[in-house]
Amino acid sequence: MKFIFARMYQLIRSIFFWFDAEKVHYFAMNALRFFCSIGFIKKILAANFQAKNKKLAFESWGLEFKNRVGLAAGFDKNAKYLRELEVLGFGFVEIGTVTPKPQDGNDQPRLFRLPKDKAIINRMGFNNDGVKVVAERLKKWKEKHEVQSTKYENSPLTTHHSRLIIGGNIGKNKVTPNEDAWKDYEICFNELFDYVDYFVVNVSSPNTPGLRELQEKDSLRKILSHLQTLRTERLKLKIDSVVEKPILLKIAPDLTQSQLDDVIDLAKEIQLDGLVASNTTISREGLITDAAIVTAIGAGGLSGLPVKQRSTEIVQYITQKTNGEIPVIASGGIFSAADANEKLQAGAVLVQVWTGFIYEGPAIAKKICNGIAVQ
Ligand SMILES: Cc1cc2nc3c(=O)[nH]c(=O)nc-3n(C[C@H](O)[C@H](O)[C@H](O)COP(=O)(O)O)c2cc1C
């Protein structure tokens, strides 16, 4: 049966790969949404996509993750497919990157597959519905789950009483100058505060001009400390809240050693809750895809197999340098349980997939969960 499903996805994938990558993404997710809207089909899908391994729950930051496998930011930018992603067995989904105002992003085509390298190049440019619309969607999700779920009714562990943990990945609008970036992060933080379980500050996407300059220590300190202050003020008003809303920072795999050391020093100094390592790379090193094809694709962030090693190295470096005091969510080139285990052994507490979903198919979370070695 497993073999038949694997062959089926290979066939579907080869058909999908004939069409524009972005259009296929939405077509596939909307098709899944249609199937999930039919109660008994949703149940069959959910039963099929849940991992057999039951000892997967993991607690961090006062949040209980039903498993350690999440979907990385950029897949469900607008929080439109949470039900479907929960059905597929993900333990957490990072929505976004969300910006204060809606944005169209860059001109299409802007998403390209490199099958020979098991990679993707994207220059989406933070296309999203804007934080107000996304917050409204999350509010509805939360309300629905509070009414529906009795099982987790008394659990203080998640915002939603559903066991799907939701991260809010926040960014700045393209038109906002870097010196005002902190204001954009503040707007997104405030709007999403009641509806997400954790935050990720994204200053590492290569597709918003100048954004990665914010990875410089002083800029980071300004943005992150400000959000921490806002959080303290909010939590003072809600003394009954047990959920701290951890704030994490997502970093690029292209940081130099000294930049990485700066980030680690700062994370320790301000007691940051964690890091997400890593985003896509601007490097094109080591690709086996024809150089002319890569050049014709042009600018963008490269993800998938080519970032796997660098991402693992960064995870390992951070955990060693901090004695594991700063939890790391690993992202970059995870396709299998072996890849996830490599990241966990390097010190990551959780893993996220994006490109792996495209190449391995919708059963990726289940496959990884069933083969995860670290309990
Ligand atoms: C099409 C696409 C869009 C992405 N959009 C975002 C985004 O909006 N924000 C973000 O932090 N990361 C974004 N990413 C980066 C992923 O979240 C992930 O960190 C990166 O792709 C490395 O993981 P992977 O090798 O499993 O794809 C995007 C990646 C892809 C392929």
Side-chain angles (χ1 to χ4, degrees):
M1 195 68 165
K2 239 162 78 180
F3 179 74
I4 297 173
F5 274 125
R7 300 296 292 185
M8 236 166 75
Y9 184 69
Q10 275 172 18
L11 180 71
I12 294 171
R13 192 183 68 188
S14 55
I15 298 168
F16 278 175
F17 275 26
W18 280 100
F19 298 95
D20 174 80
E22 189 172 349
K23 290 198 174 77
V24 165
H25 178 75
Y26 290 112
F27 171 79
M29 290 313 292
N30 288 334
L32 183 64
R33 183 152 63 181
F34 169 73
F35 290 122
C36 287
S37 68
I38 305 167
F40 81 96
I41 298 184
K42 183 186 153 198
K43 278 194 185 131
I44 295 171
L45 289 172
N48 267 292
F49 284 109
Q50 300 311 305
K52 287 197 190 75
N53 187 348
K54 297 287 173 219
K55 291 190 214 142
L56 294 166
F58 173 75
E59 200 184 319
S60 189
W61 304 295
L63 297 168
E64 187 178 297
F65 294 77
K66 75 175 174 189
N67 65 57
R68 296 182 192 240
V69 184
L71 194 68
F75 195 100
D76 187 13
K77 285 178 186 280
N78 295 308
K80 275 186 168 168
Y81 303 105
L82 296 174
R83 178 185 62 184
E84 290 69 29
L85 296 166
E86 190 173 32
V87 163
L88 295 184
F90 287 99
F92 63 110
V93 173
E94 199 171 300
I95 61 110
T97 297
V98 177
T99 56
K101 292 192 199 95
Q103 286 192 164
D104 290 335
N106 293 319
D107 291 342
Q108 296 188 28
R110 53 194 179 179
L111 181 58
F112 309 87
R113 310 177 193 96
L114 276 58
K116 285 185 185 160
D117 286 293
K118 287 183 94 175
I120 288 176
I121 291 177
N122 91 82
R123 53 167 171 277
M124 308 298 286
F126 289 171
N127 54 309
N128 76 102
D129 292 343
V131 73
K132 278 203 187 315
V133 170
V134 174
E136 194 53 40
R137 221 168 259 144
L138 288 168
K139 185 173 176 221
K140 286 195 182 123
W141 164 267
K142 183 184 170 186
E143 284 164 0
K144 200 168 166 195
H145 280 75
E146 274 175 350
V147 175
Q148 277 182 0
S149 172
T150 49
K151 192 167 174 200
Y152 302 108
E153 215 162 49
N154 299 317
S155 166
L157 295 173
T158 70
T159 311
H160 307 282
H161 305 160
S162 146
R163 293 195 67 206
L164 182 72
I165 299 285
I166 298 174
N169 183 306
I170 55 179
K172 75 164 193 75
N173 279 114
K174 187 178 175 183
V175 292
T176 306
N178 273 1
E179 55 273 24
D180 293 334
W182 64 274
K183 294 180 195 161
D184 278 15
Y185 289 94
E186 173 179 322
I187 293 169
C188 294
F189 184 81
N190 283 335
E191 292 284 348
L192 292 179
F193 191 85
D194 288 329
Y195 312 118
V196 297
D197 297 301
Y198 71 91
F199 281 96
V200 174
V201 171
N202 181 11
V203 284
S204 50
S205 285
N207 301 314
T208 295
L211 184 81
R212 286 158 47 123
E213 288 159 22
L214 295 173
Q215 290 180 111
E216 186 260 319
K217 203 171 179 180
D218 289 337
S219 312
L220 281 180
R221 188 185 285 107
K222 185 168 179 185
I223 295 169
L224 295 168
S225 307
H226 182 58
L227 296 183
Q228 287 176 321
T229 307
L230 290 175
R231 176 177 62 182
T232 308
E233 283 164 6
R234 278 181 164 265
L235 290 176
K236 263 190 222 151
L237 301 175
K238 291 189 180 183
I239 38 173
D240 56 331
S241 175
V242 293
V243 183
E244 274 261 338
K245 307 281 169 159
I247 300 169
L248 290 81
L249 171 72
K250 186 164 180 180
I251 56 174
D254 307 316
L255 293 179
T256 62
Q257 195 60 41
S258 74
Q259 284 174 317
L260 186 55
D261 286 334
D262 275 356
V263 166
I264 294 171
D265 289 346
L266 179 72
K268 288 204 258 184
E269 177 196 319
I270 63 169
Q271 295 181 321
L272 193 67
D273 297 298
L275 293 164
V276 183
S278 63
N279 214 312
T280 56
T281 177
I282 52 168
S283 163
R284 298 292 184 262
E285 226 173 84
L287 294 180
I288 53 173
T289 303
D290 193 340
I293 295 177
V294 177
T295 309
I297 289 173
L302 174 70
S303 59
L305 196 54
V307 295
K308 178 178 145 174
Q309 196 187 338
R310 178 67 184 142
S311 150
T312 305
E313 282 165 9
I314 295 179
V315 171
Q316 191 153 32
Y317 186 76
I318 297 167
T319 45
Q320 275 171 2
K321 223 183 155 192
T322 61
N323 292 321
E325 275 163 30
I326 310 260
V328 182
I329 300 181
S331 158
I334 299 171
F335 293 81
S336 64
D339 298 333
N341 285 331
E342 180 185 296
K343 295 283 197 276
L344 295 171
Q345 273 147 22
V349 292
L350 297 161
V351 298
Q352 293 179 324
V353 301
W354 204 125
T355 306
F357 189 112
I358 305 305
Y359 285 93
E360 300 300 318
I364 188 167
K366 174 184 172 176
K367 280 197 261 180
I368 295 177
C369 285
N370 282 338
I372 255 179
V374 183
Q375 296 297 327

